[in-house]
């Protein structure tokens, strides 16, 4: 096979060097322009057939396939990262991209710049071996994933070529991730009657209703349905607020933010679940501020997940090709966090996640990625491009 004869180590070394330059170019959400320019220059230097950008600030590179009549394969990673926080908590400066003990350390190492470099170089590896992917393959670097996915939404809405599959480069430790749960956030408000705190008998204090609800919620949460791959629907009460800032006034209302991660539950079934636990206590339920129903889907679910079932032919084909590339079939898994994949699924574009990097590294101080995992992912993905 050409792969073994073209100097695998040289391609991996170039890929890692590129990942280091990506980390050394900070790209907080909304500030991705310098990184997009760096990526575009690399795509041109590597011989991609087309390189372009769009009005959202996304950057793209296309490599023509052997059969240009087939729908394209899209390789998607975002360009932005979260804030590194206090640099003193890091074992090495967060934008220095130091390599220690076989791991590349830096903000974005696993989420998302290590995987981004692997996507870009999986195509470069084929080109350097004198090969082409089976179908047209488009690398898509999108902006603002960490703050809602404006880049991915723009891409999906302006897509003007058919796409067979999106390979999402969120870190999956070289497993094949089939999806993730959606998010539904509700404000649950308990209503009472406020009074002077010196005369609590005149009040209906909604704090008691909220407390009783939360005790019942903790016990009932295990009854929420579980999905065989995506796992159980979970709920976490997070923010609590009252209408008063005066310590000597009982509140007229108390509200709690309920953060549901939904696998099989619908918004309606969650409303029924909450209403049952709230019982006779006067209460109202509303979507949390800023989390309106998705304009993409028109669905009531504020944030959808995505899911490609394991018996889908796409999963079988991708798994076989990746497995041939790395010498073992990738395990089928799911992401715990939400990704841009949720913006593609409503358009009917299938999504699978595959990338190096451990999910639990994402957004942590000391974020890093194993170089041998990057090398394995590069081999696997190059084989996917050949076969898929
Ligand atoms: Zn990410």
């Amino acid at each position: 096979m050409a792969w073994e004869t073209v100097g695998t180590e040289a391609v991996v070394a170039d890929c890692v060097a590129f990942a280091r330059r990506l980390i050394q170019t900070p790209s907080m959400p909304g500030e991705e322009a310098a990184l997009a320019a760096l990526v575009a220059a690399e795509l041109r230097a590597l011989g991609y057939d087309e390189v372009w950008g769009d009005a959202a600030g996304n950057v793209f590179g296309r490599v023509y396939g052997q059969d240009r009549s087939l729908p394209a394969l899209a390789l998607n990673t975002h360009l932005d990262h979260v804030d590194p926080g206090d640099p003193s908590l890091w074992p090495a400066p967060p934008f220095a991209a130091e390599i220690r003990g076989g791991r590349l350390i830096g903000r974005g190492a696993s989420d998302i710049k290590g995987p981004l470099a692997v996507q870009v170089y999986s195509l470069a590896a084929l080109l350097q071996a004198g090969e082409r992917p089976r179908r047209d393959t488009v690398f898509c670097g999108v902006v603002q994933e960490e703050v809602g996915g404006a880049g991915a939404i723009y891409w999906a809405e302006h897509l003007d070529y058919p796409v067979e599959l999106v390979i999402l480069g969120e870190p999956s430790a070289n497993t094949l991730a089939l999806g993730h749960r959606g998010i539904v956030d509700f404000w649950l408000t308990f209503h009472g009657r406020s009074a002077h705190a010196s005369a609590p008998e005149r009040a209906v204090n909604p704090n008691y209703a909220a407390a009783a609800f939360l005790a019942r919620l903790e016990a009932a949460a295990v009854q929420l349905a579980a999905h065989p791959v995506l796992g159980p629907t979970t709920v976490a009460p997070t923010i609590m607020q009252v209408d008063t800032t005066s310590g000597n006034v009982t509140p007229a209302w108390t509200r709690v933010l309920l953060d549901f991660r939904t696998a099989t539950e619908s918004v309606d079934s969650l409303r029924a679940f909450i209403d049952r636990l709230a019982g006779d206590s006067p209460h109202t339920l509303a979507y949390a501020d800023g989390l309106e129903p998705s304009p993409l889907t028109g669905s009531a679910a504020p944030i959808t997940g995505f899911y490609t079932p394991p018996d889908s032919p796409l999963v079988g084909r991708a798994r076989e090709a990746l497995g041939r590339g790395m010498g073992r079939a990738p395990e089928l898994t799911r992401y715990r966090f939400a990704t841009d994949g949720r913006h593609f699924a409503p358009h009917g574009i299938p999504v699978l996640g595959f990338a190096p990097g451990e999910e639990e590294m994402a957004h942590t101080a000391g974020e890093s990625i194993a170089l041998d995992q990057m090398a394995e992912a590069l081999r696997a993905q190059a084989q996917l491009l050949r076969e898929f």
Side-chain angles (χ1 to χ4, degrees), residues 78 80 110-112 145-146 169-171 337-339 362-363:
H78 57 91
D80 57 324
S110 65
D111 182 16
I112 192 73
E145 187 271 349
E146 299 289 3
E170 292 289 349
F337 49 52
T339 72
H363 301 195

Side-chain angles (χ1 to χ4, degrees), residues 16-57:
V16 171
F18 180 50
R20 294 191 65 214
R21 283 184 283 132
L22 294 172
I23 292 169
Q24 288 161 357
T25 309
S27 53
M28 289 289 287
E31 301 168 7
E32 299 98 335
L35 191 82
L38 175 67
V39 170
E42 192 80 0
L43 300 178
R44 285 196 190 92
L46 291 169
Y48 277 54
D49 295 301
E50 297 173 25
V51 178
W52 74 101
D54 68 13

Side-chain angles (χ1 to χ4, degrees), residues 56-139:
N58 300 323
V59 60
F60 304 96
R62 177 181 279 120
V63 173
Y64 300 150
Q66 295 164 36
D67 184 348
R68 297 213 60 209
S69 70
L70 296 172
L73 183 65
L75 307 179
N76 174 281
T77 50
H78 57 91
L79 300 172
D80 57 324
H81 56 76
V82 294
D83 191 271
D86 181 355
S88 74
L89 299 175
W90 286 70
F95 298 112
E98 285 187 21
I99 293 174
R100 292 185 193 173
R103 298 186 73 95
L104 173 58
I105 304 167
R107 173 51 82 227
S110 65
D111 182 16
I112 192 73
K113 294 179 173 178
L116 193 167
V118 166
Q119 289 199 336
V120 166
Y121 268 80
S122 62
L123 278 161
L126 289 198
L127 293 174
Q128 287 173 18
E131 297 180 56
R132 294 235 157 230
R134 177 160 176 255
R135 59 183 71 238
D136 274 22
T137 303
V138 182
F139 168 77

